[in-house]
Amino acid sequence: MKRPLLLAHRGFSGRYPENSPLAFRMAVEQTEADGFESDVHITKDGQLVIFHDASVERTSNGTGWIRDLTYDELYALDIGAWKDPAFAGEHIWTFDQLLDFCQQTGMLLNMELKNYEVFYDGLEQRVIDAICARQMQDRVFVSSFNHISMQRFKTLCPDIETGLLYDKPLLDIEHYIARSNADNMHPRYVLLRYQPELVELYHSRGMKVNTWTVNDEPDMLDMLARGVDCIISNYPDLLCRVVREAQT
């Protein structure tokens, strides 16, 4: 049984504030994860920032859409206290900061382009430029629920792997992926139970199966047994332990 890549979803988000510097540091210090999954938006003044939602209310002490806020306005927000007062004082990272952290720690990065609630003009090229400036094409792979964006990304930069995120069953998936230039598929894990033949189908097309967000031990073991290529979890400590014990 092969060992899949094990990624910390938004950092170690099960225990620390998601997409915060602390969550990324703790994933390195407290787990054996191979890397992170994270999310990127563009601010009003054109900065690439690490945040999940298109607006800031859920995970900060601010309000508004990222597209309408400057980087300085976003940096002034507390993105830790919503999780627990003990985490107060965490501030947003830029995409450049996360890339640099991955370089320093040797971590892989699955970067989700958040361009389906807000359509950020030029997001694909901006992400490509940041990755290529660090020569990290083999350390970063991207994904999005916006499959048109992934088609554009792969055309712009064949050297970086792309993946199609989806969370509902897709009709006639074999013909759908035949029209795509994506490298990988990123289904929500439950879809692989609904259509167990998908892993074999995707692998037969040379595509990796990278699945999310797998947080319970039985589900982790199930995905491992199905032969997926990457498992993304809010609890990378548990994920790493479960996979290690299953393979000893």
Side-chain angles (χ1 to χ4, degrees), residues 24 113 131 167 206:
F24 295 120
L113 276 62
I131 296 169
D167 61 358

Side-chain angles (χ1 to χ4, degrees), residues 32-90:
E32 301 165 13
D34 301 298
F36 315 117
E37 185 275 349
S38 191
D39 316 275
V40 63
H41 296 261
I42 303 181
T43 68
K44 181 179 180 180
D45 52 346
Q47 295 294 309
L48 298 181
V49 293
I50 301 302
F51 209 81
H52 181 267
D53 298 359
S55 61
V56 301
E57 287 83 0
R58 182 176 64 86
T59 58
S60 84
N61 59 342
T63 60
W65 295 81
I66 290 176
R67 68 182 178 194
D68 298 327
L69 298 169
T70 66
Y71 169 72
D72 287 342
E73 289 171 328
L74 286 164
Y75 184 79
L77 301 179
D78 188 311
I79 65 167
W82 69 272
K83 183 80 168 178
D84 189 293
F87 302 136
E90 288 294 305

Side-chain angles (χ1 to χ4, degrees), residues 190-201 226:
V190 294
L191 299 181
L192 301 180
R193 292 178 183 150
Y194 184 69
Q195 293 178 286
E197 70 278 7
L198 288 180
V199 174
E200 182 178 354
L201 170 63
R226 291 179 190 276

Side-chain angles (χ1 to χ4, degrees), residues 48 113 122-130 152-153 156-157:
L48 298 181
L113 276 62
L123 177 60
E124 297 87 1
Q125 190 63 59
R126 294 286 307 280
V127 169
I128 291 167
D129 290 344
R152 181 181 301 126
F153 192 106
L156 290 169
C157 185

Side-chain angles (χ1 to χ4, degrees), residues 3-20:
R3 181 191 181 278
L5 287 177
L6 309 177
L7 300 188
H9 187 236
R10 309 177 200 169
F12 195 162
S13 60
R15 303 193 189 282
Y16 302 97
E18 64 181 58
N19 279 329
S20 67

Side-chain angles (χ1 to χ4, degrees), residues 143-164:
S143 57
S144 183
F145 286 97
N146 182 340
H147 297 178
I148 296 173
S149 174
M150 288 296 92
Q151 194 86 353
R152 181 181 301 126
F153 192 106
K154 192 65 180 179
T155 300
L156 290 169
C157 185
D159 294 335
I160 299 174
E161 290 190 12
T162 58
L164 305 184

Side-chain angles (χ1 to χ4, degrees), residues 99-100 103 127-140 159-160:
L99 286 175
D100 290 343
Q103 274 195 322
V127 169
I128 291 167
D129 290 344
I131 296 169
C132 291
R134 292 165 175 80
Q135 298 184 337
M136 292 181 68
Q137 294 95 317
D138 62 342
R139 305 292 299 171
V140 182
D159 294 335
I160 299 174

Side-chain angles (χ1 to χ4, degrees), residues 85-103:
F87 302 136
E90 288 294 305
H91 297 284
I92 196 168
W93 257 0
T94 64
F95 182 42
D96 285 342
Q97 286 175 301
L98 181 55
L99 286 175
D100 290 343
F101 184 69
C102 288
Q103 274 195 322

